[in-house]
Amino acid sequence: MATLVHPLAIVEEGAQLGQDVIVEAFALIGKSAVVGDGTIIRHHATVEGKATLGKNNEVYPYALIGGLTHDLKYTGGEPELVVGDNNIFREYVTAHVATGSQDCTVIGSENVFLAYSHIAHDCKVGNHLVMSSQSALGGHVEVDDHVTIGWGVGVHQFCRLGRHCMISACSKLVQDVPPFMLADGSPAEVRSINKVGMERSGFAKTDLDVAKGVFKVLYRGDLNRRQAVKHLQNGSNLAEEKITQEIIQFTEKSNRGLA
């Protein structure tokens, strides 16, 4: 199958299209964009700026991939957006380039961004994210693999979302969420482990029990955060578990504190 560009689409001079790309009517591909093999750009969608898309992505109508940062500190140049493979960007999704001319917004592979969701400048998004409609990541947010973000969630700038965590619908997140946890509320607080998400990802019951044990020490015990981490490291039968170690490492790197 050859690359197919509808005669009513606009592909600016300089744009690079891979093999088997489809560009439908009224779509726009900017001069600095690179579109990987097998990618589909639906009608009225836009890929502009210095945006590089990997293979087999699909961009639905009215989505804007590679738009200019909202950050008022932008002073010019061509900051980048780099996208992996097999992502779905549904209607009206916006994903922005970085702010600094040498910087980059990064989106991994196998992610699904539902209608009207937004990925701001300088975000680092991993793989297998499900981001529901009307949700938004502020600038510099970091999202690890297998995260679920519910409808209408707002994530504050510089927050971090650990692997296999979930943010419930309509939450306002202003601090970090450790791996395997579920946060809910405005402002969001960690309420439990992400039990359903872990089960769907194939974690064993013993893994869920470890995550639950760490949750109880961090969030339901009488120790403050520093004491709880020290207890998990040295005074707990959970100390040697990989899940425990992953949560501790995440916690120790937190700048905004934990939700």
Side-chain angles (χ1 to χ4, degrees), residues 121 133 194 199 208 221:
H121 63 90
S133 299
N194 183 20
E199 289 174 340
L208 272 69

Side-chain angles (χ1 to χ4, degrees), residues 129-142:
L129 166 69
V130 176
M131 189 168 177
S132 297
S133 299
Q134 311 284 352
S135 55
L137 304 180
H140 301 275
V141 167
E142 297 183 16

Side-chain angles (χ1 to χ4, degrees), residues 26 61 67 70 77 91 103 108 115 121 124 143 158 168 213 232 235 238-239 242 250 254:
F26 305 108
H70 286 162
E91 299 83 0
D103 294 330
H121 63 90
K124 307 297 181 188
V143 182
F158 294 97
S168 297
L232 287 169
L238 303 172
K242 290 183 178 179
F250 180 94
S254 176

Side-chain angles (χ1 to χ4, degrees), residues 11 17 24 35 49 53 60 68-69 71-72 81 84 110 121 134 169 180 189 199 208 253 256:
V11 179
L17 303 183
E24 295 184 348
V35 179
L53 277 65
Y60 276 74
L68 187 64
T69 173
D71 193 341
L72 299 180
L81 166 67
E110 309 283 349
H121 63 90
Q134 311 284 352
F180 313 109
E189 299 178 8
E199 289 174 340
L208 272 69
K253 294 179 182 179
R256 292 192 59 82

Side-chain angles (χ1 to χ4, degrees), residues 6 14 22 41 72 87 136 152 160 165 169 207 211:
H6 194 282
I22 296 174
I41 311 299
L72 299 180
N87 295 286
R160 297 165 59 234
C165 78
D207 295 322

Side-chain angles (χ1 to χ4, degrees), residues 13-259:
E13 184 176 355
Q16 301 177 45
L17 303 183
Q19 298 180 349
D20 303 330
V21 170
I22 296 174
V23 183
E24 295 184 348
F26 305 108
L28 169 65
I29 311 296
K31 63 181 180 181
S32 300
V34 178
V35 179
D37 297 349
T39 293
I40 300 173
I41 311 299
R42 296 293 183 190
H43 63 87
H44 296 89
T46 300
V47 180
E48 65 180 18
K50 196 171 183 182
T52 301
L53 277 65
K55 297 180 180 179
N56 302 315
N57 293 288
E58 188 166 7
V59 183
Y60 276 74
Y62 307 103
L64 171 59
I65 309 302
L68 187 64
T69 173
H70 286 162
D71 193 341
L72 299 180
K73 296 189 295 294
Y74 173 71
T75 57
E78 276 199 305
E80 296 185 59
L81 166 67
V82 175
V83 178
D85 304 330
N86 302 305
N87 295 286
I88 296 174
F89 299 92
R90 292 302 304 247
E91 299 83 0
Y92 293 97
V93 168
T94 50
H96 286 177
V97 297
T99 296
S101 59
Q102 304 301 315
D103 294 330
C104 185
T105 303
V106 178
I107 296 173
S109 299
E110 309 283 349
N111 300 298
V112 179
F113 302 94
L114 299 186
Y116 294 93
S117 56
H118 172 64
I119 305 97
H121 63 90
D122 298 281
C123 285
K124 307 297 181 188
V125 176
N127 308 305
H128 302 283
L129 166 69
V130 176
M131 189 168 177
S132 297
S133 299
Q134 311 284 352
S135 55
L137 304 180
H140 301 275
V141 167
E142 297 183 16
V143 182
D144 291 338
D145 296 346
H146 297 280
V147 169
T148 301
I149 297 176
W151 182 93
V153 168
V155 181
H156 194 281
Q157 296 93 325
F158 294 97
C159 284
R160 297 165 59 234
L161 280 65
R163 198 168 66 99
H164 289 279
C165 78
M166 178 176 179
I167 318 301
S168 297
C170 301
S171 295
K172 180 182 77 172
L173 183 67
V174 297
Q175 292 180 298
D176 299 344
V177 178
F180 313 109
M181 301 297 162
L182 185 150
D184 176 71
S186 183
E189 299 178 8
V190 171
R191 310 286 183 174
S192 66
I193 67 168
N194 183 20
K195 180 176 182 291
V196 173
M198 293 180 70
E199 289 174 340
R200 289 176 176 174
S201 295
F203 283 90
K205 183 181 183 301
T206 52
D207 295 322
L208 272 69
D209 290 340
V210 172
K212 187 180 298 183
V214 176
F215 165 77
K216 288 180 178 179
V217 173
L218 281 176
Y219 291 99
R220 292 292 182 263
D222 296 327
L223 304 176
N224 64 33
R225 189 60 41 78
R226 182 174 297 180
Q227 292 169 335
V229 169
K230 186 175 181 179
H231 173 73
L232 287 169
Q233 290 173 318
N234 302 313
S236 169
N237 59 356
L238 303 172
E240 300 302 320
E241 301 289 345
K242 290 183 178 179
I243 285 178
T244 305
Q245 294 173 10
E246 182 174 346
I247 294 172
I248 290 172
Q249 290 171 6
F250 180 94
T251 301
E252 290 178 334
K253 294 179 182 179
S254 176
N255 292 319
R256 292 192 59 82
L258 302 186

